[in-house]
Amino acid sequence: WGLDLKSGACFERCPSKFAGHPRVHLRWGNSCKKPHVDRLGFARESMDLVLDDGDHFPLSNEITLVHFWPFVKKGGYYVIEDVATGARQATGRYGCRAALRGFPERCGFAPGGFAQLVRNRTSLGDEARAIIEEADTVLVDTLPGHRNLDAFRERMGVTWMRDQVDHNSHLVVLRKRTEARRHPNRDPDPDPDPNPNPNAPRRGGRR
């Protein structure tokens, strides 16, 4: 299944491109609009993988995550592409006229290596924060080992890349846990040690 805006690049060329692939189904809509997502009719926990390669604004990534996370199976994955680090926190981009004039502090850049989507708890809504905290979540840098970094930087331009650390080619990978994560300060131990004596041998031979 693929979803794109009717004004997106895929709208014109994708139907003919995938015409010979009967298992590929294209739908048109906005992943940030709940009525559009509801019209798709996807079943809860029916997908092994959901890949978000849509709008790269942090807020759009967050809203799409909230809308599509219910479709991921337990043990399945949700991947967000093109996540920026050290970028302008409002836009996820690096271009800023004030920085070109010598005033980068006016641009609202995040600290180097900082990905707002996964590290700025105060910027996330309650639903997105709960998803990220309950899932097995990792931030992946795709550039280590790149064999032609200078050409890549030139192709990306100042909008999408500052240097090898701060660029928008990171991935956020979330795995939906098969069992809920336990919180030591909130959840009781489901299998408490029957021998509370700290000097006695513990189960499994541990002390």
Side-chain angles (χ1 to χ4, degrees), residues 10 23 29 33 35 45 51 57 86 102 114-115 145 149 159 172 180 190 195 198:
C10 186
R23 295 186 62 193
K33 295 183 177 181
E45 297 191 349
L51 178 64
F57 285 94
F114 183 96
L149 193 62
T159 300
V172 174
N195 190 345

Side-chain angles (χ1 to χ4, degrees), residues 67-130:
H67 288 169
F68 279 82
W69 181 251
F71 304 135
V72 180
K73 292 179 179 178
K74 291 180 179 178
Y77 292 86
Y78 186 103
V79 180
I80 306 172
E81 290 194 355
D82 302 320
V83 175
T85 60
R88 300 180 71 182
Q89 299 190 60
T91 65
R93 289 152 170 75
Y94 301 94
C96 178
R97 293 180 180 177
L100 296 176
R101 294 196 297 267
F103 303 100
E105 67 278 2
R106 298 179 182 178
C107 299
F109 288 118
F114 183 96
Q116 176 175 323
L117 185 66
V118 292
R119 295 197 174 106
N120 189 350
R121 289 170 53 88
T122 61
S123 74
L124 294 175
D126 292 341
E127 292 179 279
R129 184 168 61 249

